[in-house]
């Protein structure tokens, strides 16, 4: 197991709350019960993660094993995602096709890889005849980015497809064309998906109200005029560590924790304005970000009240 994969597994485990750790790992079913019993789950999280990564290394974990763990974590926290819902309709009077899940998975991967060589696709079957699909996109020259995947939930024998927000908007049509390929009621050459512009008449955006709300809040926050050009904003944070656990080492620390956060972009304010409509951030954005034009500042120091 190389360092890149070890780091991917480490970051995935670090996301899991301690209260859910054992539940998620058992659902993953990669590490055996006997292996898990050798781990001290009462130690500090960093040490726990280190021990779990070593066990994964001993068992020669693959990228797909790690991706499966990420899918399970996302299933536990699916309410934290922003989902687009698509409905693919059949022609009037058409019967529901017989569906072979394994054939669907195999075909799904082949179609994506014909269009894009560097892509990682992982599946996990779930309840109610649904399948979770995790897609890590790459490019012609770069390996898949495992930290910015898109998740797809597909309910077989139904026309519904749920997709998490995808930062690479240019790849969304590949997903649409892939699912249309498995809808055999229309000739293949007619199966196209154009996002937002020239939307396929058989596809319905069911979260349009939420998109309109995001656009409205964004306009109320930033206005409908071009933003002033700003290339960076810097925040210095000084805060005392807070913990619900008694006897925590950092909680006993008298000195505040200090960190520096810097946002930079050729046009920072326009980039911030685009975050929520792109599905990358919730609307409204934090006042710490939206107050920059009103305060006329790009240096901030944040302390405990």
């Amino acid at each position: 197991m190389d360092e890149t994969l070890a780091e991917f597994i480490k970051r995935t485990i670090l996301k899991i709350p301690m209260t859910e750790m054992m539940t998620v790992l058992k659902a993953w079913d990669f590490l055996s019960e006997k292996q898990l019993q050798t781990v001290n789950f009462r130690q500090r999280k960093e040490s726990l993660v280190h021990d779990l990564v070593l066990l994964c290394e001993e068992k020669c974990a693959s990228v797909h094993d790690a991706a499966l763990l990420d899918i399970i974590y996302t299933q536990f926290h699916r309410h934290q995602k922003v989902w687009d819902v698509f409905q693919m309709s059949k022609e009037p009077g058409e019967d529901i096709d017989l569906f072979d899940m394994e054939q669907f998975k195999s075909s799904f991967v082949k179609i994506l890889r014909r269009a894009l060589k560097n892509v990682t696709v992982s599946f996990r079957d779930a309840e109610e005849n649904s399948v979770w699909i995790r897609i890590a996109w790459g490019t012609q020259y770069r390996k898949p980015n495992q930290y910015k995947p898109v998740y797809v939930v597909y309910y077989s024998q139904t026309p519904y497809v749920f997709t998490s927000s995808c930062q690479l908007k240019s790849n969304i049509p590949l997903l649409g064309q892939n699912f249309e390929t498995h809808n055999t009621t229309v000739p293949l050459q007619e199966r196209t998906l154009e996002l937002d512009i020239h939307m396929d008449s058989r596809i319905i955006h069911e979260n349009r109200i939420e998109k309109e709300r995001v656009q409205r809040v964004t306009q109320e926050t930033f206005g409908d005029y071009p933003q002033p050009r700003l290339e960076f904003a810097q925040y210095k944070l000084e805060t005392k560590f807070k913990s619900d656990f008694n006897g925590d080492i950092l909680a006993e620390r008298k000195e505040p924790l200090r960190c520096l956060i810097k946002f930079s972009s050729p046009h920072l304010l326009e980039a911030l304005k685009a975050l929520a409509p792109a599905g990358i951030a919730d609307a409204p954005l934090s006042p710490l970000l939206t107050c920059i034009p009103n305060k006329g500042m790009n240096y901030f120091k944040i302390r405990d009240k």
Side-chain angles (χ1 to χ4, degrees), residues 208-228:
R208 191 174 298 278
I209 294 177
E210 172 62 15
K211 287 183 178 293
E212 290 173 354
R213 184 193 72 83
V214 169
Q215 292 288 355
R216 185 180 67 256
V217 171
T218 300
Q219 184 170 340
E220 291 172 355
T221 304
F222 291 94
D224 56 359
Y225 45 82
Q227 299 300 301

Side-chain angles (χ1 to χ4, degrees), residues 106-122:
S106 175
S107 176
F108 190 93
V109 173
K110 288 179 181 177
I111 292 171
L112 276 187
R113 286 184 175 160
R114 276 204 299 265
L116 187 63
K117 180 180 178 181
N118 288 322
V119 61
T120 302
V121 186
S122 304

Side-chain angles (χ1 to χ4, degrees), residues 65-81:
D65 293 322
L68 182 59
L69 176 61
D70 184 58
I71 291 176
I72 294 170
Y73 167 81
T74 304
Q75 287 177 320
F76 273 77
H77 297 272
R78 55 184 174 269
H79 58 283
Q80 297 177 356
K81 294 286 183 184

Side-chain angles (χ1 to χ4, degrees), residues 23-39:
T23 304
V24 172
L25 291 175
K26 286 184 175 180
W28 187 28
D29 199 29
F30 177 73
L31 299 174
S32 67
E33 186 76 28
K34 186 176 181 180
Q35 287 177 307
L36 292 177
Q37 288 175 358
T38 65
V39 179

Side-chain angles (χ1 to χ4, degrees), residues 119-132:
V119 61
T120 302
V121 186
S122 304
F123 301 90
R124 185 170 192 259
D125 295 331
E127 69 283 351
E128 299 177 357
N129 294 321
S130 66
V131 59
W132 280 65

Side-chain angles (χ1 to χ4, degrees), residues 141-183:
Y141 305 105
R142 293 184 182 179
K143 293 182 178 179
N145 186 343
Q146 299 298 335
Y147 301 108
K148 295 181 180 180
V150 61
Y151 303 91
V152 180
V153 185
Y154 179 47
Y155 287 80
S156 64
Q157 303 297 317
T158 78
Y160 296 104
V161 180
F162 301 80
T163 67
S164 65
S165 296
C166 179
Q167 296 185 18
L168 297 174
K169 300 298 183 184
S170 60
N171 288 335
I172 293 295
L174 291 178
L175 289 179
Q177 291 165 7
N178 203 324
F179 280 103
E180 295 302 328
T181 299
H182 295 92
N183 179 356

Side-chain angles (χ1 to χ4, degrees), residues 188-203:
L188 183 60
Q189 61 268 24
E190 296 181 12
R191 295 168 189 158
T192 58
L193 170 64
E194 298 291 337
L195 187 65
D196 293 332
I197 304 174
H198 308 307
M199 181 65 75
D200 190 306
S201 61
R202 293 166 296 152
I203 299 175

